[in-house]
Amino acid sequence: MYCNNCCMCLPMRGGGMWLSGLCFLINVIGAAFLFLWGSYFFSSSLAPFLGGFSALQAITATVAFFGLYNYSFMLTRMFVYMQWLLTFVSAARIGLMAFELEQNQDRISGECFGGVNDKGYSPQGTTAAFYCNTPIDTFILVFIVGLAVDWMLNGYMYFVAWRFYVRLRLYPDAIKGEEFTFEEGLDEL
């Protein structure tokens, strides 16, 4: 006998939809942050790449949401086969972003203390002022912890969608509201 719902902290379909909506929101905010202000923290060529990767993760969260919402075998399967690769690439992205933030630490703090930065204006009163009031080490730590939480949420969303995909595959008729038989219910315990 095996546990079919082990490690499920949320309801399979509703919790997965809620989690994919949360991951979509986090990744859209992250993509907007990286597209708008990524050049303050990273190189000008790396910031759009990182923002595009966050947008790609938001798109996959949307695929998961619609797959769970429509009981779609095709969309959940597509999500499951795409997301495992994005999870590994996302872990590498966290390391790359941490490395870049540590390398650019002096440049980031220099934009706060300089009168006029290389963009031609003072950061006080601009979008750069939100990180100038925080010590740079604390800011980098909070940034990396936020990326790690995003990675864990995306990983758990993958797990929930994978469980839903397996359930769709094993019980195609029972998933759309029809009740399980007694024997199938015992397998779900």
Side-chain angles (χ1 to χ4, degrees):
M1 183 118 184
Y2 62 94
C3 176
N4 204 16
N5 289 328
C6 292
C7 301
M8 293 294 289
C9 300
L10 299 169
M12 193 177 304
R13 182 174 169 256
M17 288 170 56
W18 179 83
L19 191 58
S20 63
L22 178 66
C23 288
F24 171 79
L25 186 65
I26 289 171
N27 285 311
V28 164
I29 291 170
F33 175 81
L34 288 168
F35 280 129
L36 294 175
W37 302 303
S39 61
Y40 285 113
F41 307 108
F42 308 105
S43 64
S44 59
S45 61
L46 185 63
F49 170 74
L50 296 172
F53 188 78
S54 289
L56 181 64
Q57 283 187 316
I59 290 169
T60 59
T62 304
V63 169
F65 180 84
F66 285 118
L68 293 168
Y69 177 74
N70 292 327
Y71 295 98
S72 173
F73 181 77
M74 183 191 70
L75 287 177
T76 53
R77 183 177 182 177
M78 184 171 67
F79 172 77
V80 165
Y81 284 113
M82 284 186 330
Q83 186 65 25
W84 72 269
L85 178 63
L86 290 179
T87 301
F88 287 115
V89 174
S90 180
R93 178 189 68 148
I94 292 172
L96 177 66
M97 290 174 89
F99 176 75
E100 283 284 320
L101 285 173
E102 287 294 325
Q103 291 293 321
N104 297 335
Q105 186 172 343
D106 294 334
R107 184 177 62 85
I108 294 168
S109 60
E111 287 191 14
C112 291
F113 299 123
V116 175
N117 61 14
D118 61 346
K119 311 264 188 304
Y121 54 85
S122 173
Q124 308 309 345
T126 64
T127 55
F130 75 94
Y131 68 84
C132 289
N133 297 329
T134 308
I136 191 70
D137 293 330
T138 305
F139 178 76
I140 291 173
L141 180 66
V142 167
F143 199 89
I144 299 305
V145 166
L147 287 172
V149 167
D150 175 51
W151 186 79
M152 289 188 308
L153 286 174
N154 276 305
Y156 191 69
M157 178 183 62
Y158 171 74
F159 173 73
V160 170
W162 172 74
R163 286 301 313 144
F164 187 76
Y165 163 69
V166 168
R167 193 169 177 190
L168 275 175
R169 193 179 63 195
L170 293 178
Y171 309 112
D173 296 331
I175 198 71
K176 288 199 174 186
E178 297 178 16
E179 296 297 322
F180 287 117
T181 64
F182 179 73
E183 289 79 20
E184 290 171 341
L186 287 178
D187 287 340
E188 290 296 309
L189 295 176

